[in-house]
Amino acid sequence: MSRMFKALLKKQLMEVMLSFTGGAKKNGRKSMIGYSILLLTAFLSFCFMFGMAADTIYGNLHSTGLDWLYYSLMGLMALMISVMGSAFATYSAIYKAKDNETLLSMPVPQWLILLTRMCGCYLTALIFCALVLIPALIVSCLEGSAGILTIILMLLAILLLSLISLALSCLLGWVIALIAPHVRHKSLVTTVISFALIAGYYVFYMRITEILQSFVEYADETEKAIKSYVYPFYMLGRGLTGEIVPFLIFTAISAAVFAVVYYLMSRSFIKLATASEKTAKNVYREKKAKLSSPSSALLRREMKHYISSAAYILNCSMGTIFMIILTVFAIIQSGRLKGVIEDIAEDAPGFVGIVPLIIGAATAILIAYNLMTVPSVSLEGKSLWLIRSLPVTTAEILKSKLDFHLLMTLPFSAVCAIVLFIVTGSDIKCSAAVILFITAFNVASASLGMILALKRPNLNYADEASAIKQNWSVTVIMFGGMIITGLLAVLYFIVHSFIAPWLFALAAAALFAGLSALMLKWIYSKGIEIFESL
Amino acid sequence: MLRIEHLTKTYGEKKAVDDLSLHIAPGEIYGFIGHNGAGKTTTLKSCCGIMQYDSGEITACGISVKKDPIAAKKQLAYLPDNPELYEYMTGIQFLNFIGDIYGVQPDERAEKIRSLCDSFSLTADLAQPISAYSHGMKQKLAIVSAWMHDPKLILMDEPFVGLDPIAAHTLKQMMRQLCDKGGAIFFSTHVLEVAEKLCDKVAIIKNGRLIRSGTMDEVRGDDSLEEIFLELAEPGISGGADAETEDKK
């Protein structure tokens, strides 16, 4: 049995590694080093972000002697992030893995298949929990309140909390698997639920100071509430302040939660893993089709793939979702926004002039959150033969992927920026230059995604979500957008006394137009060769 | 209709196809047989422009697959052994996508879809997502999509695998009809009885090299195709024909 477990675990870990690296390993040592550096940078950046949040929470709670509440809250935050980040991936990895039937046909007990699949998911949960709890530990160490015992217990807590997170995301995955065969518009429902979770997190995050103040103000009630509603986290908080008994209780609860969920899942694994997704049969009625050009047929193909997959929507178009939210927010809160700008302008009169640049930078960051081109080549998967056998050029195929990305990003970013310009009463000349910058940045972002897609294709994925969430390419684009925007901001503050804001925006637009031209040249020459050799 | 001249394709050190030449004339159903890994799929994929080859020349309907792949692809259709289709589309969406790519006019398209899908009893399932199709249904849909634009040449890799007997019979009829109208079909198969009954000509490939080709009578002589194949593929198994006899053509 242990030999079987080892073999299955090895296979599972190889899949997890492939989904993270997207084939970096097979591309040589240099690639692996580059990938490792990038992964570490991404991990540290997230740690920094959660560290800032931890610092705010710690500052509020430590001074009033509520250290246990700090650990409880950070534990809750870690759990929330971890469950949110891995619930749908868990569903895909456990129930929708393409090799489920192969493994089930082998003399492998189903509980062992489930256990090894869960081990793969545990790694993901562990990473998410560590992202929040390691910065939380560092903050309390730097403030001098954490001793050796707390450090050891915190490291153990990360392992245990990941177990609860795994159990909860598996439970969510299990619920999704139960519902999925009966849901007609599955990707829509999944998208809406996920979006509600994300929105809930952001609302919580935006109101964190207010919430913390009320915690401090009503410390006794808070303690009672946490004890009643999230008892394990009360124990975790107490445990991490050095009380061994509560920590042991937390350990027992974590193990029990995992055991119960594992028991529940193992009872229905075969049934759900092999469930047919057939819902009510759609009746075919013949309709006269319209003849479309090959290019619009290819573009529609990209669109159909996108709307059919909740993972694709959620992982690759967060930028568009945020742009829509920002646009609506700017319209609703226009008076407040204008007031803020006027207040700042009273102290710094030059501020009004750079408002369009700030809007441009903010939009650019959101543009970088759209990643449609990144998994587009991998998503061809095993049906790549089809498009390659049709009478369309590779250039047309790649163009349809770029066009789809631009279609989903450019109009939303332009409308968002224009609304913000109008609301803030920005200078027209500078606003026009920023729109040019946004356009060029959009093309550059889509092109970079396409290059990464061609450089790191993963056509043999076990489940579609792993191809979508693939590897470091996502990190490159997202962090690349932020880093580039940051660099542009630094550059502007160096040269702002010599160059007008509109001219700076125009220069940035020219720079990105030039970069886009270079990248497009690569895509339509070397990129075509790569695609044709896949 | 299809001319393969000195086709060579290597994967690293291994020659998958080695100096293979084959001519398929209009009206011919040409069977391609060989053991697993002999180079059948590589040859078929090279012919339809999916795979780039190292040397040689392939022309479909007189058009070079290498020099003008788009024009060549417009004349042909390819059906792989395991047709992985776009699971995010419904059957009808997929057929309309193929229709748009080949520029099949709406009226002609509707007529084709109706008649082809009816012959495979697929019409009622056209509104279903392809992800809900069985392997056989996907195979049928792929066949319909291959026939939809009236190709002159159809390349098929193990087309009968996964088809029920009725669908297999329908496909055989369609193959013959296409060739009777001047088209040509080049397909690989492991079912030697099918090759024997259906094909006008047959080619046997071993380790990437063409070892025999011609009409059924030329290839098998007085023996059965199975005996010839076994002897050529594994000399010594059958006591029939001379092993490694080169193509008489």
Side-chain angles (χ1 to χ4, degrees), chain B residues 38-244:
Chain B
K40 300 186 296 294
T41 301
T42 303
T43 306
L44 286 167
K45 283 187 172 176
S46 302
C47 290
C48 66
I50 291 181
M51 193 171 273
Q52 292 164 334
Y53 43 91
D54 306 327
S55 62
E57 177 64 296
I58 300 172
T59 55
C61 306
I63 305 162
S64 166
V65 171
K66 204 169 213 170
K67 289 181 191 141
D68 195 354
I70 302 302
K73 284 177 188 178
K74 279 183 183 165
Q75 307 299 321
L76 57 86
Y78 169 66
L79 197 69
D81 53 345
N82 183 22
E84 297 269 357
L85 308 176
Y86 299 136
E87 305 228 326
Y88 48 88
M89 290 185 185
T90 62
I92 188 67
Q93 285 172 343
F94 176 70
L95 293 177
N96 278 324
F97 168 72
I98 298 291
D100 285 338
I101 294 291
Y102 282 97
V104 183
Q105 291 301 319
D107 289 336
E108 189 193 342
R109 191 186 303 183
E111 172 55 33
K112 284 267 176 198
I113 290 174
R114 201 180 304 125
S115 66
L116 289 167
C117 289
D118 282 350
S119 20
F120 283 111
S121 308
L122 201 63
T123 311
D125 295 300
L126 283 178
Q128 297 299 106
I130 295 174
S131 58
Y133 279 22
S134 67
H135 177 81
M137 285 163 80
K138 283 181 195 169
Q139 183 85 350
K140 289 176 188 176
L141 188 69
I143 294 168
V144 172
S145 72
W147 252 261
M148 215 171 80
H149 66 280
D150 269 334
K152 291 193 175 80
L153 171 68
I154 299 187
L155 307 161
M156 297 189 283
D157 199 355
E158 295 289 348
F160 298 102
V161 173
L163 288 184
D164 58 60
I166 299 171
H169 177 72
T170 309
L171 177 61
K172 284 177 204 166
Q173 283 182 322
M174 285 164 62
M175 287 164 76
R176 181 48 66 201
Q177 279 166 11
L178 185 127
C179 292
D180 288 347
K181 284 194 280 180
I185 284 172
F186 184 38
F187 77 104
S188 72
T189 184
H190 281 126
V191 190
L192 300 178
E193 290 82 3
V194 169
E196 212 158 7
K197 284 180 187 159
L198 190 66
C199 298
D200 302 310
K201 284 187 178 174
V202 68
I204 302 174
I205 183 174
K206 182 185 177 185
N207 297 331
R209 292 186 71 89
L210 186 72
I211 52 173
R212 190 172 283 194
S213 70
T215 63
M216 199 56 75
D217 290 339
E218 282 170 350
V219 170
R220 71 183 167 190
D222 295 330
D223 299 306
S224 73
L225 191 58
E226 188 178 26
E227 282 171 321
I228 296 296
F229 178 73
L230 289 173
E231 184 56 39
L232 292 175
E234 295 290 338
I237 288 183
S238 165
D242 293 333
E244 300 294 334

Side-chain angles (χ1 to χ4, degrees), chain A residues 140-209:
Chain A
S140 57
C141 283
L142 289 175
E143 299 290 335
S145 72
I148 293 289
L149 185 63
T150 301
I151 293 171
I152 294 167
L153 291 178
M154 180 61 104
L155 294 176
L156 284 172
I158 293 172
L159 297 173
L160 291 166
L161 197 64
S162 305
L163 210 58
I164 299 184
S165 161
L166 173 70
L168 291 184
S169 47
C170 283
L171 199 64
L172 270 174
W174 181 65
V175 172
I176 296 167
L178 280 175
I179 300 168
H182 311 287
V183 176
R184 214 175 165 87
H185 302 289
K186 202 168 58 175
S187 65
L188 180 71
V189 173
T190 314
T191 308
V192 170
I193 294 172
S194 307
F195 188 66
L197 283 171
I198 295 164
Y201 170 72
Y202 275 96
V203 168
F204 168 77
Y205 196 80
M206 283 165 80
R207 295 185 57 202
I208 187 87
T209 316

Side-chain angles (χ1 to χ4, degrees), chain A residues 509-526:
Chain A
L511 173 71
F512 279 95
L515 286 173
S516 301
L518 287 175
M519 286 192 277
L520 288 171
K521 196 181 167 202
W522 186 92
I523 290 167
Y524 289 119
S525 53
K526 186 81 184 154

Side-chain angles (χ1 to χ4, degrees), chain A residues 281-282 286 300-301 388, chain B residues 50 73 100 114 128:
Chain A
K281 190 169 176 173
N282 300 322
E286 193 181 310
R300 264 207 313 277
R301 181 185 77 118
R388 296 275 297 113
Chain B
I50 291 181
K73 284 177 188 178
D100 285 338
R114 201 180 304 125
Q128 297 299 106

Side-chain angles (χ1 to χ4, degrees), chain A residues 491-513:
Chain A
L491 187 66
Y492 178 73
F493 281 104
I494 294 169
V495 299
H496 77 284
S497 44
F498 316 108
I499 187 167
W502 71 270
L503 211 54
F504 183 80
L506 211 58
L511 173 71
F512 279 95

